[in-house]
Amino acid sequence: MLTDKEIRHILDTDREHLWHPYTSAIDPLPVYPVRRAEGVTIELYDGTKLIDGMASWWACIHGYNHPVLNNAVMEQLKDMSHVMFGGFTHKPAVDLAERLLRILPQGLTRIFYCDSGSVAVEISMKMAVQYWQSSGQSSKTKFATVRSGYHGDTWRAMSVCDPVTGMHGLFGNALAPQFFADQPRSRFGGEWDNADLDSMKKILEEHHDQIAAVILEPVVQGAGGMWFYHPQYLNELSVLCKEYGILLIFDEIATGFGRTGEMFATFHTSVTPDIMTVGKGITGGYMSFAAAIATEYVARTISEGEAGVFMHGPTFMGNPLACSVSAASLDILASYDWQSKIHSIERQMKEEFAVAKKYKEVADVRVLGSIGVIETKTPVDVAKVQKLFVKEGIWVRPFGKNIYIMPPYIIGSGELSKLTHGILKVIREYYG
Ligand SMILES: *Cc1c(COP(=O)(O)O)cnc(C)c1O
């Protein structure tokens, strides 16, 4: 344990010198110093124990400090933590590829390992542009997407994030202009309304000669709105894309590896995208790692072009530690009936959140797989509610009007109840 003085030093130095996600250097939001984490529990230095509702932003699917994942990292450390991927290959990279190929949608067979989700999105977009260059259609350099999406904070990724919440106003001309279709409004599990597709159809009709690909998050829109839409949108979109000669990129960085009740959200549809991105949960949340995965046809077409190669190569590509822990994480998934577990989390969240529909300040409640969302009518003050959540012994970090959880899959039903009941109590208190 640290002394009070040492803890104060951490907080003071942090406040003075460190950036946190989306915070001010003048008036930063409070942060809580974490001592350790294990299973679904995050422990602060003052001894406070928090049940984790966030899986550290979708990533820690098996919980913290997992003995199998710890062991994978430690064993790999003995051989090498890193070696360049230019000119070398290694067993961890191939082990992971074999495990991915077992679970990926059929036809996605060319895997590009990279460092983070945003980078995987950049790579997927670059692949699409190079694909059309190789096909002699170098005018196809733009992208279409739907509103309320989120694809990361780097430049090209940001250009396809929701234009309102995605900071387009702030960055203006610095962002590449893209095409934004209306957000699909037919709910997952509800009626399909064909009119959902109208605005995307119009964009593709009018601009297909400029559009390299449509990029979107399949079924679940994450950080751009926590919205679950009808899979039929994607089935119809896929037909349109083929008709107009446009590639389809599915960003599965949040949804991948079981989160929605299917291994990939794509499996709620009948579509195999041309390119798919994965990240976040791939390492079980142990470290930053991601991949952009293309069909053989896309990969070959790129390679037959003038450049002859795909023009990308990050320094830490295929990092052995990340590959080892990812392979171990997929082995854990393969070792138990994760799908039943996700379904039982889903059932319990549906039951326990149902009462919130009656709250005056709640606009909507939705649950899909192990993702539960309570949408409020007015935006919440994050710092203020965060404090209330910590007082309840739970870790929940809302944004805008969305109070949401996507806990580690290993959460027990008692722990999950603590989360859901804590959230309901805080909503009543906050608005009460
Ligand atoms: C988080 C996220 C990203 C960005 O990933 P980083 O690892 O934060 O760069 C991209 N797309 C989706 C759908 C995400 O949820």
Side-chain angles (χ1 to χ4, degrees), residues 89-352:
T89 189
H90 44 75
K91 190 165 183 297
V94 172
D95 282 350
L96 175 58
E98 284 174 338
R99 284 157 180 77
L100 284 170
L101 291 170
R102 272 179 223 147
I103 57 172
L104 283 167
Q106 275 230 321
L108 286 169
T109 52
R110 280 283 166 174
I111 305 164
F112 195 108
Y113 294 131
C114 61
D115 334 45
S116 74
S118 301
V119 173
V121 169
E122 298 286 333
I123 290 169
S124 71
M125 295 173 84
K126 208 160 154 182
M127 281 178 173
V129 169
Q130 245 198 285
Y131 172 91
W132 290 113
Q133 244 162 27
S134 294
S135 311
Q137 298 198 52
S138 49
S139 67
K140 283 164 85 74
T141 57
K142 290 192 175 165
F143 293 84
T145 185
V146 290
R147 289 179 184 271
S148 298
Y150 179 77
H151 298 284
D153 286 349
T154 55
W155 287 106
R156 266 301 188 280
M158 198 165 47
S159 79
V160 287
C161 290
D162 183 79
V164 180
T165 61
M167 302 172 280
H168 288 227
L170 182 61
F171 291 106
N173 290 339
L175 281 183
Q178 314 289 13
F179 297 104
F180 291 92
D182 294 341
Q183 181 192 40
R185 291 310 301 171
S186 300
R187 297 176 79 102
F188 186 92
E191 290 276 306
W192 163 244
D193 179 0
N194 232 346
D196 264 11
L197 215 70
D198 287 354
S199 104
M200 179 64 88
K201 206 178 210 164
K202 190 153 178 279
I203 287 170
L204 300 189
E205 228 163 56
E206 283 173 14
H207 305 288
H208 58 91
D209 55 334
Q210 301 172 56
I211 297 174
V214 174
I215 177 168
L216 76 181
E217 298 153 282
V219 182
V220 172
Q221 291 188 304
M226 297 306 299
W227 175 245
F228 313 145
Y229 63 93
H230 203 296
Q232 189 59 18
Y233 186 89
L234 299 165
N235 295 334
E236 308 262 349
L237 174 62
S238 162
V239 174
L240 281 179
C241 283
K242 287 207 175 77
E243 204 173 301
Y244 286 112
I246 290 168
L247 296 181
L248 186 54
I249 304 173
F250 280 178
D251 180 351
E252 292 250 15
I253 290 166
T255 48
F257 308 106
R259 183 55 74 181
T260 68
E262 294 285 348
M263 185 58 87
F264 296 102
T266 318
F267 295 144
H268 294 286
T269 75
S270 52
V271 179
T272 295
D274 299 289
I275 306 170
M276 188 167 119
T277 56
V278 295
K280 289 197 163 106
I282 188 171
T283 60
Y286 264 55
M287 59 189 82
S288 184
F289 193 61
I293 306 153
T295 61
E296 200 59 26
Y297 187 71
V298 166
R300 282 183 172 270
T301 305
I302 289 170
S303 310
E304 282 162 7
E306 194 189 313
V309 297
F310 177 54
M311 281 294 183
H312 208 91
T315 307
F316 284 96
M317 186 170 181
N319 174 259
L321 281 179
C323 287
S324 296
V325 75
S326 299
S329 171
L330 294 184
D331 285 344
I332 294 175
L333 275 184
S335 74
Y336 78 107
D337 187 359
W338 59 267
Q339 204 161 26
S340 298
K341 187 62 205 283
I342 300 289
H343 287 148
S344 79
I345 294 173
E346 178 175 33
R347 266 195 309 277
Q348 192 182 340
M349 283 200 290
K350 277 184 175 162
E351 270 170 39
E352 295 179 354

Side-chain angles (χ1 to χ4, degrees), residues 44-101:
L44 306 182
Y45 274 105
D46 65 5
T48 303
K49 288 188 175 169
L50 305 171
I51 305 281
D52 177 30
M54 306 304 293
S56 283
W57 279 334
W58 314 83
C60 295
I61 57 177
H62 309 298
Y64 302 88
N65 226 329
H66 195 291
V68 173
L69 300 181
N70 287 359
N71 191 55
V73 175
M74 286 187 292
E75 285 302 309
Q76 183 54 44
L77 262 178
K78 290 179 194 163
D79 291 335
M80 63 192 162
S81 61
H82 185 62
V83 68
M84 63 192 282
F85 215 50
F88 284 129
T89 189
H90 44 75
K91 190 165 183 297
V94 172
D95 282 350
L96 175 58
E98 284 174 338
R99 284 157 180 77
L100 284 170
L101 291 170

Side-chain angles (χ1 to χ4, degrees), residues 4-14:
D4 284 354
K5 196 169 155 225
E6 285 167 320
I7 294 165
R8 243 193 337 271
H9 174 74
I10 289 176
L11 287 173
D12 289 346
T13 310
D14 178 286

